[in-house]
Amino acid sequence: MRLIKKSIERDMSGLVTLYPEEPEDMWHAFNLIRPNDIVRAPAVRRVTTESRTGSTNSQRVHTTLTVSVRKIDFDAQAGQLHINGQVTEENKIVSVGAFHTLDLELHRNFTLIKSEWDSVTLGVVKEACDAGERAEIGAVVLQEGFANVCFITEYMTVLRQRIEVPVPRKRVGSTTSYEKVIFTLPIMCLLAKRDQGLQKFYDIVYQSITRHFDFSALKVILLASPGFVADGLKDYIFLTALQTDYKPILHSKKKFVTVHCSTGHIHSLNEVLKSPEVAATLADTKFAKETKAMENFFEMMEKDEFRAWYGPKEVERAVDKGAVGTLLVSNSLFRSNNVAERRKYVRMVEEVRKGGGTSLVLSSIHESGVRLDGLGGIAAILTFPLHDLDESDTEEEETGGGDEKGKWEEKVAA
């Protein structure tokens, strides 16, 4: 994302003009734009004109529209952002009050006008426009006949392709010497079919990564699976690249890392990113820090539950007592339509930072952010234990509210 213009007044109202350059920038825009904000961007509007003879002519006209945002829709897979709202500035084509859906596009400026820019939204702008090199990972999480080809950036985990190929299973059970003689040919045929199935599976995965991955831009390429499936895929990739003289892979051999995981499903990225060999490679990246912070929270929950709290009320009380050392907040909370609720979370982030603590805003479409959303979107590691944060008001007790802490075992089991 490129910052074209920034004009913020003393009352924190103002505007920024941004130039999105890659699909991930649409995710940043999604986290910046709120209902009732004003967005000005290029648009295409179908205009129908009528001639004197009564015939009509319809054509698509390019114009610039300014709308007051009502609804925001983000398609993570396609990297597209759609903004629905009412036109606030009239032009020759559209009158004030008309509804229109703006489709923000790459390589086209858009201007965002807010009545109040808080520290969190300004931080999003700063991160989005950071010219530093971004850490990007290509990942293939697989098991026999099933693979997820993923792309991981600082802020997003995007599934590029899911692959399913039938692979004959191994013959299970022991056999006697007589059975070995009788079934030698069928077993050999079965093994041959199995090898063919694996070869076909590996080839489809190979074609997928060559189509989706830019090997020169990736810092690491993870191949994760139970057993030795990932090792087999790695051998197949290098052998095929050598036979076809595919230089992008041959020049990126050192980037390939095989990791063990429990299943080939995408949620296994949690354990993949925690593995020592991956953590060492990505120690300084944003998502590695977020993953480590979530692990620290769960470890603290096991060691000293009164120093690890989650839930809006409990964490807010801990912040007010100045006890929070690390605050974890999902950015989904800052997309709330309730202005007062957004301000509450902004205040908590600022209070922890003022007190010398660490505030991390986790991406809700990263694996660590998904885990945090399961805990209410906010959690904290305290510098000293507090025992009474889950004490609810009398009215809440009478209506069955409160005591989120007692539900911890149920969440872990789920």
Side-chain angles (χ1 to χ4, degrees), residues 114-162:
K114 286 179 174 286
S115 59
E116 180 182 359
W117 287 86
D118 55 56
S119 61
V120 173
T121 50
L122 289 174
V124 173
V125 173
K126 182 179 179 181
E127 289 181 356
C129 300
D130 185 3
E133 186 179 6
R134 294 180 179 176
E136 296 176 336
I137 294 178
V140 181
V141 188
L142 71 156
Q143 58 193 47
E144 285 190 0
F146 181 77
N148 290 287
V149 180
C150 310
F151 187 70
I152 309 172
T153 68
E154 292 276 17
Y155 305 93
M156 299 174 66
T157 301
V158 181
L159 176 64
R160 290 299 189 191
Q161 186 177 355
R162 180 174 284 114

Side-chain angles (χ1 to χ4, degrees), residues 247-298:
K247 289 183 170 54
I249 287 181
L250 298 177
H251 293 164
S252 305
K253 273 190 172 184
K254 294 182 179 179
K255 297 181 180 181
F256 283 82
V257 178
T258 56
V259 188
H260 180 272
C261 64
S262 55
T263 73
H265 295 278
I266 196 169
H267 62 76
S268 294
L269 280 174
N270 276 326
E271 56 184 292
V272 171
L273 294 176
K274 287 188 300 182
S275 63
E277 53 266 50
V278 177
T281 306
L282 308 172
D284 296 328
T285 61
K286 182 179 186 294
F287 52 79
K289 293 176 182 178
E290 293 177 356
T291 301
K292 181 62 177 176
M294 283 302 300
E295 287 308 307
N296 290 341
F297 172 79
F298 286 114

Side-chain angles (χ1 to χ4, degrees), residues 337-378:
N337 293 338
N338 188 321
V339 177
E341 186 175 351
R342 292 204 305 265
R343 287 175 177 170
K344 177 181 73 174
Y345 293 119
V346 170
R347 180 191 69 82
M348 292 166 66
V349 169
E350 293 176 344
E351 285 294 323
V352 171
R353 288 174 178 169
K354 286 180 182 177
T358 301
S359 294
L360 295 177
V361 180
L362 276 62
S363 172
S364 60
I365 57 175
H366 250 311
E367 295 304 313
S368 56
V370 171
R371 298 173 77 188
L372 183 59
D373 280 338
L375 301 177
I378 187 167

